[in-house]
Amino acid sequence: MIKIKSGFVAIIGRPNVGKSSLLNALIGEKIAITSPKPETTRNRILGAITTNDYQIIFVDTPGMGKSYNLLSKKVTQVAKASVEDNDLVYLVVDQKYNDSSKFIIDYLKKTNSKTFLIINKIDKFKTKSQIDEIILSYVNIYDFKAFVPISSIDKTHIDKLIELTVAEMPEGGLLFEEDFISDQSKTIRMMELIREKILLHTEAEVPHSAAVVIENMFYNEESGQYDVFADIIVEKNSQKQILIGKDGSKIKSIGTAARRDINKTLDTKIHLELWVKVKKNWRNDPKMLLSLGIGED
Ligand SMILES: Nc1nc2c(ncn2[C@@H]2O[C@H](COP(=O)(O)OP(=O)(O)OP(=O)(O)O)[C@@H](O)[C@H]2O)c(=O)[nH]1
Ligand SMILES: [Mg+2]
């Protein structure tokens, strides 16, 4: 067996700090959806970089926060479980330490994880001293292996981060096939891209109450594209009305944006039909969560 450096890196942190954006920046492809709304990611997402010398498997996780229902409880469990059994953890932050991050630090202490503190969104910082202030606020909280300021959007210091990461990886063999990029199937990525557009086009409770399920998909010989039929599931009739919008205008713009992004990101031409359905309290329904693959491991 050819020896190379290889290992797993868990990307963890509070909601909305830019974990999924970082995964995409590292891999150089949009594998995970991102949005300005917290609690965008609901499951563990793997992305890999493989070269002749190393293979790093990055594990994007849901933001760690308070649990309001079974969905957020399961989602936080997924994030916690991802900290264990990794060769390195990236704790991603975008502001100074405060008590809302204490339970994450406690978890790192419990698992004694080798951790880099990743200060993200530095493109937004007005002065360089802001980076120092964040580092100073964390320096006595945990024994971090490195402090790495980055921007996932501008890709600042992403190469440096990879270099520092490779240095921490143990010698071993390939963990996945050479051409493995992600564990997200095309169908899951489609569902997620549709959900991303819901997150971007709606406000308040609606985005978090929505799930997407692809009901049917087949290749249409005549049009030369895939016909995709997806359900958007929400918890209340009022949310359904908001999603549909006046004369169907909202669901139409969500559909158009999703179709365009699926075409661009997955290089797949589709005809997309969206149906909105109500399933009361689905976020507390274990069967529904299981069918969405949330929390299984
Ligand atoms: N300016 C700036 N914005 C960023 C950067 N990285 C992420 N963002 C933005 O921050 C928001 C949250 O990004 P995500 O990648 O979805 O954050 P996340 O940590 O995965 O969020 P959850 O999945 O909800 O836990 C999005 O609007 C991103 O565009 C960055 O480096 N600079
Ligand atoms: Mg995310």
Side-chain angles (χ1 to χ4, degrees), residues 14-21 33-41 62-63 120-121 123-124 151-153:
R14 299 272 302 153
N16 214 37
V17 292
K19 299 175 294 299
S20 302
S21 304
I33 62 165
T34 67
S35 93
K37 309 240 169 39
E39 293 160 47
T40 296
T41 306
N120 190 28
K121 308 193 185 177
D123 57 290
K124 280 211 311 203
S151 164
S152 300
I153 297 288

Side-chain angles (χ1 to χ4, degrees), residues 14 33 45 78 121 124 145 151 154 166 189 191 220:
R14 299 272 302 153
I33 62 165
I45 299 173
V78 170
K121 308 193 185 177
K124 280 211 311 203
K145 211 59 209 168
S151 164
D154 292 352
V166 172
R189 288 175 79 180
M191 279 162 40
N220 187 327

Side-chain angles (χ1 to χ4, degrees), residues 31-33 40 42-43 184-199 210-217 228-233 254 258 261-262 266 270 272 274 288-294:
I31 291 172
I33 62 165
T40 296
R42 286 180 177 165
N43 226 331
Q184 302 293 288
S185 69
K186 207 163 181 166
T187 314
I188 290 179
R189 288 175 79 180
M190 258 185 215
M191 279 162 40
E192 286 286 88
L193 287 170
I194 298 168
R195 199 165 62 79
E196 183 184 69
K197 304 314 169 209
I198 301 170
L199 285 159
V212 176
V213 179
I214 303 243
E215 279 298 324
N216 213 339
M217 175 162 82
V228 180
F229 300 86
D231 287 346
I232 299 175
I233 295 154
I254 290 171
D261 203 1
I262 289 167
L266 304 178
I270 63 161
L272 180 61
L274 297 174
M288 177 70 187
L289 297 181
L290 202 63
S291 75
L292 291 169
I294 292 169

